[in-house]
Amino acid sequence: VLESDLLVVGAGLIGTSVGLAAAAAGWQVAITDSDPRRAEVAAAMGAGTAVAGPLPAAGLAVVAVPPAEVARVALDLLGRLRDTTVTHVASVQSAPAVEVEAWAGEDVQRFVGGHPIAGREVSGPTAASADLFADRPWVVCPVAASSPAAVDAVLRLVRTCRAEPVVLPAVEHDELLARLSHAPQVVASALAATLTGLGGEAARLAGSGLRDTTRLADSDPGMWGQVAAANAAALAAALRAVAAPLADLAERLERDPVTAGAAVHDLVARGRAGRALLPGKHGRPAVPLASVQCVVPDSPGALARLFGDIADEAVNVEDLRVEHAPGQPVGFAEVAVAPRDKERLVTGLRRRGWVVTEGGDEAL
Amino acid sequence: VLESDLLVVGAGLIGTSVGLAAAAAGWQVAITDSDPRRAEVAAAMGAGTAVAGPLPAAGLAVVAVPPAEVARVALDLLGRLRDTTVTHVASVQSAPAVEVEAWAGEDVQRFVGGHPIAGREVSGPTAASADLFADRPWVVCPVAASSPAAVDAVLRLVRTCRAEPVVLPAVEHDELLARLSHAPQVVASALAATLTGLGGEAARLAGSGLRDTTRLADSDPGMWGQVAAANAAALAAALRAVAAPLADLAERLERDPVTAGAAVHDLVARGRAGRALLPGKHGRPAVPLASVQCVVPDSPGALARLFGDIADEAVNVEDLRVEHAPGQPVGFAEVAVAPRDKERLVTGLRRRGWVVTEGGDEAL
């Protein structure tokens, strides 16, 4: 049985990404999964050595399994690996902490909860990336009995994954995540579920706004059922905070459309204020960027030519979005640049023959 | 006073885009706005000739003003321009139709409602584009007395803008749009509004999912207050269809977390089914694409090099998203390609020295 710096239990998106990040930093990583093929895929991607059967001793073990199984797996590891600190990556903290505290005895000193705020709607080891956690917050939730050495071991992993540690009590984490993640997931699903009554022909009239608003609705039902059950009270409160004003508005709209219109105005204004609090990409505050839109022919070389021309203008692309449907003759590239570069880029691209509109300025 | 094929009243995002599309197709376009500077900007972009003062006769006039002003402006035009067909572009149809029918007398024959399903969170003439409507649905809502010639005139404009006409009764349009657009807007705002109670430090823990789910919350409060007031009954029903299951779930979560978890599982599964009904970009059915992720250094030439290499592999990029924060050393390009091209692209890019992960397959 090999010794390793890190044992990853669960070769899904998050577990494999942790393995990739730690291995890239030079750690000895072992990775295992109840499905040995997933561990092999993760190992082939560079996320460590796949192990099956008896687990190797390790300085730190990360439990990256579905939320409902976290406590059971963590307790098993704490009992079997006597010198290993055990953490996990679930988006619920209190429920597994309570269970581990109840059953681990003195081993609880080696337990520390954790939750990297990163992920995608897609899952599985092939979606993993060593950079998934870069500049993202990673909440660390010690339990009352966690030893300082155990907390340090987890913080070392967090920094190795280039994440930013945020130490919080489990209850506070769960209340925040209910608001910031669990309720938005359920709301997006509830909104998307109303479409099933309409049929595909009617849904054709949906715009891109609805597609964005319901993007989360592609998530995995099994995992979210477990998260909801494990964070029930906080999620209930967070759902009421959305549902109550909606029901109230519905009643007003039926009673008096004019004052209800004013109430919708106020709600949309409050929503803008709330949204302004959200961080930009990679967890940093939103940066105001200028947007330039450009028509792009749907041919293999067109984007290369566009970005070559942008590079020749010595303008750095901060973000971009390309839209075109397969088989359509043209698409659009929306390029976000520093506001000071916008005029130069528009002028330069037009001079080079591109059809450019300036677009609005926004934080993409 | 000039004659023109098309008179656009209101030089915002939609009005200016209509002007650009029609002018690009060779139409004589006149454009006006209560703020003459906006009309000048639109004209400078190529959306026609800016007019102030007496309005020119035109074959067709498009009223592109805030929803609450549509009926008043349409009635004014019907009275002043005796041979002009009048349409509009508001996301509410019944309320202005009822008002025009009540006050226009025989002139109502020259009135036809309309609503292009296209738009952005940004507004104003500088965000406009001649291609805003390409391949998008454009709902045309004749009133009972609309003449066939008037309907034809509007359909010609729709096709000139390269949109796909969908003829619907106004009431049906309003019910569908309440579900597909107005309720999602209010729900996104209600969700974003809950963030105001948290403060910026807590909102740091939000992930990209919440940012997408609340993107619509950046919209204009004034316009949405008007839309809500004008489509009150349909919006109320659509809001209840979201709020009621959320309130029901909140109650179950408090009563029995385990069965509530199963209910969340079912809701998320229904949401997936609903989302699968949504069209892909440009209103076409979602096309399954394969995703390839690539690390991109944050330097002016990097994207050009990447797309040059992709073009050299003779792979067509169907869609892509680039993420990096200004000042960060690397970012990611997520490139969507036809599934048959994926393996060749991954192999080719790796051979050329790019760090590539395969990503999950999804309809971007």
Side-chain angles (χ1 to χ4, degrees):
Chain A
V1 176
L2 282 166
E3 279 272 346
S4 65
D5 299 317
L6 178 69
L7 170 66
V8 177
V9 180
L13 170 70
I14 302 292
T16 304
S17 295
V18 169
L20 286 170
W27 290 32
Q28 288 291 328
V29 180
I31 189 161
T32 186
D33 196 286
S34 58
D35 176 351
R37 285 166 307 183
R38 276 160 50 107
E40 293 293 345
V41 169
M45 290 178 67
T49 307
V51 294
L55 296 177
L60 177 66
V62 175
V63 177
V65 301
E69 296 166 37
V70 165
R72 180 184 59 72
V73 175
L75 283 164
D76 182 55
L77 290 172
L78 287 167
R80 284 211 262 172
L81 306 174
R82 307 300 307 168
D83 296 313
T84 299
T85 295
V86 175
T87 188
H88 69 96
V89 293
S91 71
V92 180
Q93 294 293 318
S94 293
V98 166
E99 205 171 332
V100 170
E101 285 176 313
W103 297 99
E106 292 204 347
D107 294 340
V108 71
Q109 296 172 33
R110 290 183 282 117
F111 178 79
V112 181
H115 176 212
I117 311 289
R120 313 180 59 212
E121 314 78 73
V122 291
S123 56
T126 57
S129 156
D131 299 271
L132 188 64
F133 312 108
D135 300 320
R136 298 290 310 152
W138 186 316
V139 184
V140 176
C141 299
V143 294
S146 299
S147 75
V151 175
D152 278 352
V154 175
L155 290 174
R156 268 198 307 278
L157 174 70
V158 171
R159 295 202 185 92
T160 297
C161 293
R162 291 183 289 136
E164 293 175 8
V166 178
V167 179
L168 275 185
V171 171
E172 206 170 309
H173 167 276
D174 286 1
E175 281 172 3
L176 275 175
L177 267 285
R179 297 269 179 164
L180 297 172
S181 167
H182 309 169
Q185 171 64 53
V186 173
V187 169
S189 293
L191 199 53
T194 66
L195 300 176
T196 56
L198 293 179
E201 199 47 34
R204 264 189 69 211
L205 298 185
S208 63
L210 184 57
R211 209 171 54 222
D212 285 350
T213 311
T214 58
R215 186 175 64 85
L216 281 178
D218 283 338
S219 297
D220 177 41
M223 193 187 85
W224 284 102
Q226 294 179 17
V227 169
N231 197 21
L235 177 57
L239 289 179
R240 283 195 208 288
V242 180
L246 295 179
D248 179 57
L249 270 183
E251 203 187 304
R252 280 172 184 236
L253 283 162
E254 278 165 353
R255 217 173 45 216
D256 178 359
V258 177
T259 64
V264 168
H265 178 292
D266 292 350
L267 180 69
V268 175
R270 280 205 309 286
R272 275 172 85 130
R275 187 164 152 86
L277 297 172
L278 288 183
K281 292 183 174 161
H282 297 271
R284 288 159 191 289
V287 179
L289 293 172
S291 163
V292 173
Q293 287 187 297
C294 189
V295 176
V296 183
D298 189 22
S299 62
L303 276 171
R305 213 163 59 240
L306 175 63
F307 289 103
D309 286 352
I310 293 173
D312 288 349
E313 296 290 333
V315 168
N316 201 10
V317 174
E318 297 296 357
D319 198 350
L320 68 88
R321 189 171 289 198
V322 174
E323 284 212 7
H324 61 81
Q328 288 304 111
V330 297
F332 275 90
E334 181 166 4
V335 179
V337 298
R340 66 176 179 281
D341 290 339
K342 177 173 172 173
E343 205 181 310
R344 185 157 49 91
L345 181 61
V346 170
T347 313
L349 288 179
R350 286 186 176 148
R351 200 180 57 236
R352 291 161 187 269
W354 294 94
V355 178
V356 180
T357 59
E358 303 195 18
D361 294 349
E362 56 185 318
L364 284 183
Chain B
V1 174
L2 283 168
E3 279 273 346
S4 65
D5 299 316
L6 178 68
L7 169 65
V8 177
V9 179
L13 169 70
I14 302 294
T16 304
S17 296
V18 170
L20 287 169
W27 291 31
Q28 289 291 329
V29 180
I31 189 161
T32 185
D33 196 288
S34 58
D35 177 353
R37 285 166 307 184
R38 277 162 48 109
E40 293 293 346
V41 169
M45 289 178 69
T49 306
V51 295
L55 296 177
L60 178 65
V62 175
V63 177
V65 301
E69 296 166 39
V70 166
R72 181 184 59 73
V73 174
L75 284 163
D76 181 54
L77 290 171
L78 287 167
R80 283 210 263 172
L81 306 174
R82 307 301 306 170
D83 297 312
T84 299
T85 295
V86 175
T87 187
H88 69 95
V89 293
S91 70
V92 180
Q93 294 293 317
S94 294
V98 166
E99 205 170 332
V100 169
E101 284 176 313
W103 297 99
E106 292 203 348
D107 294 340
V108 72
Q109 297 172 32
R110 290 182 283 117
F111 178 80
V112 181
H115 177 213
I117 312 289
R120 312 180 59 210
E121 314 79 70
V122 291
S123 56
T126 57
S129 156
D131 298 270
L132 188 65
F133 312 108
D135 299 320
R136 300 289 311 152
W138 186 317
V139 184
V140 176
C141 299
V143 294
S146 298
S147 75
V151 175
D152 278 352
V154 175
L155 290 174
R156 268 199 306 278
L157 174 70
V158 171
R159 295 203 185 91
T160 297
C161 292
R162 292 183 287 136
E164 293 175 8
V166 178
V167 179
L168 274 186
V171 171
E172 207 172 307
H173 167 278
D174 286 1
E175 279 171 6
L176 276 175
L177 268 285
R179 297 270 178 163
L180 297 170
S181 167
H182 309 168
Q185 171 64 53
V186 173
V187 169
S189 293
L191 199 53
T194 66
L195 300 176
T196 56
L198 293 178
E201 200 46 36
R204 264 189 69 211
L205 298 185
S208 63
L210 183 57
R211 209 171 54 222
D212 284 350
T213 312
T214 59
R215 187 175 64 86
L216 282 179
D218 283 338
S219 297
D220 177 41
M223 194 188 84
W224 284 102
Q226 294 179 18
V227 169
N231 197 21
L235 177 57
L239 290 179
R240 283 195 209 287
V242 180
L246 295 179
D248 178 57
L249 270 183
E251 203 187 304
R252 279 172 185 235
L253 283 162
E254 279 166 351
R255 216 174 44 216
D256 179 359
V258 176
T259 63
V264 168
H265 178 290
D266 292 348
L267 179 69
V268 174
R270 278 205 311 285
R272 275 172 87 131
R275 187 164 152 86
L277 297 173
L278 287 184
K281 292 183 174 161
H282 296 271
R284 287 158 190 288
V287 178
L289 292 172
S291 163
V292 173
Q293 287 187 298
C294 189
V295 175
V296 184
D298 189 22
S299 62
L303 276 170
R305 213 164 59 241
L306 174 64
F307 289 103
D309 286 353
I310 293 173
D312 288 350
E313 296 290 335
V315 168
N316 200 10
V317 174
E318 297 296 356
D319 198 351
L320 68 88
R321 190 170 288 198
V322 174
E323 285 212 7
H324 60 81
Q328 288 305 108
V330 297
F332 275 91
E334 181 166 3
V335 179
V337 297
R340 65 175 180 282
D341 289 340
K342 176 173 173 172
E343 204 181 312
R344 186 158 48 93
L345 181 62
V346 170
T347 313
L349 288 179
R350 284 187 177 146
R351 200 181 57 234
R352 292 162 186 270
W354 293 95
V355 178
V356 180
T357 59
E358 303 195 21
D361 293 349
E362 56 186 316
L364 282 182

